[in-house]
């Protein structure tokens, strides 16, 4: 296991159970099921903890999804899940369009801060959609 993944395991094990953690675990499991995915984890305590999914078929991009645990208030963490805008659809308009929001490119970001099973399932579908698009 890489140092980044060891850091991820340590972070998750120390994080108290809450709605954001539950959603993070669902997103992580969905991301791990994407064929060919490479995972990376970047810890910036007090700012974000970022789980990144990349695909080797991608050209010129280090990731296709960024799952950020926003840590500005550790007792009230929430998630921002961002994709390159052209990799996902958002028929239900659940996400926010963020110009230049992901590595300088337009993004579609979904904020998850409460137990919302429909939103979590919708974002899981976007993870699979982006993973498939990145693999092309």
């Amino acid at each position: 296991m890489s140092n980044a993944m060891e850091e991820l395991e340590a972070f998750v094990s120390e994080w108290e159970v809450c709605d954001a953690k539950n959603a993070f675990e669902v997103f992580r499991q969905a991301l791990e099921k994407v064929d060919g995915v490479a995972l990376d984890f970047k810890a910036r305590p007090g700012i974000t903890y970022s789980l990144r999914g990349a695909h080797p078929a991608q050209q010129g991009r280090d990731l296709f999804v960024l799952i950020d645990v926003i840590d500005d208030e550790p007792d009230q963490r929430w998630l921002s899940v961002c994709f390159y805008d052209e990799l996902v659809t958002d028929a239900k308009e659940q996400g926010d369009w963020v110009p230049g929001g992901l590595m300088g490119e337009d993004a579609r970001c979904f904020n998850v801060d409460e137990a919302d099973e429909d939103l979590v399932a919708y974002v899981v579908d976007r993870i699979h959609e982006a993973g498939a698009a990145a693999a092309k």
Side-chain angles (χ1 to χ4, degrees), residues 24-121:
F24 179 85
E25 290 288 16
V26 170
F27 298 151
R28 176 184 175 186
Q29 291 168 4
L31 187 54
E32 289 172 341
K33 292 179 183 173
V34 173
D35 285 339
V37 72
L39 300 179
D40 192 22
F41 181 71
K42 305 257 188 237
R44 299 183 306 159
I47 302 169
T48 63
Y49 292 89
S50 301
L51 180 60
R52 300 165 183 224
H55 197 282
Q58 288 179 281
Q59 298 295 317
R61 289 182 171 163
D62 294 332
L63 54 89
F64 66 84
V65 61
L66 178 65
I67 303 171
D68 271 342
V69 179
I70 310 302
D71 193 46
D72 54 354
E73 292 183 47
D75 291 341
Q76 298 179 354
R77 289 177 174 147
W78 55 280
L79 307 177
S80 177
V81 183
C82 294
F83 307 90
Y84 292 105
D85 191 55
E86 82 274 359
L87 293 184
V88 294
T89 57
D90 186 14
K92 293 183 180 180
E93 297 183 0
Q94 296 288 311
D96 296 317
W97 180 68
V98 184
L102 186 59
M103 309 298 211
E105 295 186 47
D106 294 347
R108 181 71 48 174
C109 297
F110 299 84
N111 295 334
V112 180
D113 61 357
E114 60 187 333
D116 184 337
E117 290 179 18
D118 291 336
L119 178 59
V120 169

